[in-house]
Amino acid sequence: MADLQPSVLVVEDEPAQREVLAYNLESEGFRVIKAADGSEALLLIEEEQPDLILLDWMLPGTSGIEICRQIKSRPAFRMTPVIMLSARSEEVDKVRGLETGADDYISKPYSIIELLARVKAHLRRSRPATMGERLVYHDILLDSETHKVFRGEKELKLGPTEFRLLTTFMEKPGRVWSRDQLLDRVWGRDIYVDTRTVDVHVGRLRKVLGSHGGEDLIRTVRGAGYALG
């Protein structure tokens, strides 16, 4: 079952460095996915859909720069934060990395404390609920830390699935989510759930959100899926 634990893909060919990064990220509560080269990374990105990617520049075979370019060329992952890690510290290299599409650039050797701070900063922008942030849309407030939802002054009672659905919608207002995308994000890939189940839970969420007479803010997009607003 899916949850709000943020996931980080670590792409690093040096085993010791990869394990150090994984250990520190896991200690901070992140779910870590590990790849030793670019080809493995591209497969895991499709399979795991990580919330953030730590990408080493110097990889065997395809370079981190090219992997970053390929990641950012895919519409589904264009907004996934990529932090480039590199022993190249010259300004021209940093500019090249950022121009390729990387969201941040950290030179080696780096401080683990600084790296974790940057990871959290990017996730607060891209997946605020995973970092315990409050989400607000119109008159709806979702507190991801206490798992409480309010509409105006009224607290709403949502089941865990409806809570994850609403979180997904509120993190990306206006984005149209297909049923398959919602299944991956809300239910996870480890269990089989029929796409019609999405319709059932969206219906339940709508009912609770409208239980005090509020406007229906969930939009059905024919042939595409659902969106908030």
Side-chain angles (χ1 to χ4, degrees), residues 3-10 21-33 51-52 54 112 115-124 127 130-131:
D3 57 29
L4 294 179
Q5 184 185 31
S7 58
V8 177
L9 172 61
V10 175
L21 285 168
Y23 173 80
N24 283 280
L25 288 162
E26 288 169 349
S27 296
E28 291 294 314
F30 297 106
R31 181 172 71 88
V32 177
I33 310 146
D51 295 310
L52 183 141
L54 286 176
I112 285 290
L115 184 144
L116 291 172
R118 293 202 195 185
V119 166
K120 292 174 183 177
H122 283 286
L123 286 171
R124 273 194 293 272
R127 291 294 312 279
T130 66
M131 304 306 293

Side-chain angles (χ1 to χ4, degrees), residues 11-13 35-38 41 55-65 67:
V11 189
E12 168 63 70
D13 63 310
D37 57 48
L55 178 61
D56 187 34
W57 180 313
M58 301 298 290
L59 293 172
T62 309
S63 72
I65 283 285
I67 296 300

Side-chain angles (χ1 to χ4, degrees), residues 143-223:
D143 189 324
S144 56
E145 193 165 56
T146 63
H147 274 236
K148 290 185 177 182
V149 177
F150 296 87
R151 185 152 198 186
E153 300 297 320
K154 304 288 187 179
E155 182 177 354
L156 306 180
K157 300 299 182 183
L158 294 179
T161 300
E162 286 71 36
F163 183 87
R164 290 193 297 272
L165 258 180
L166 182 60
T167 298
T168 298
F169 287 136
M170 289 186 68
E171 283 190 325
K172 307 284 184 184
R175 170 176 170 169
V176 178
W177 295 86
S178 71
R179 289 168 177 82
D180 286 333
Q181 288 171 333
L182 288 172
L183 284 174
D184 288 342
R185 178 61 67 92
V186 176
W187 280 265
R189 295 189 165 214
D190 298 332
I191 60 172
Y192 173 76
V193 181
D194 191 278
T195 54
R196 288 172 294 183
T197 302
V198 175
D199 300 328
V200 171
H201 285 276
V202 169
R204 291 178 183 173
L205 177 58
R206 276 183 162 140
K207 184 176 180 181
V208 176
L209 290 177
S211 60
H212 298 290
E215 175 189 358
D216 183 6
L217 298 174
I218 298 176
R219 178 166 50 97
T220 301
V221 183
R222 186 181 296 275

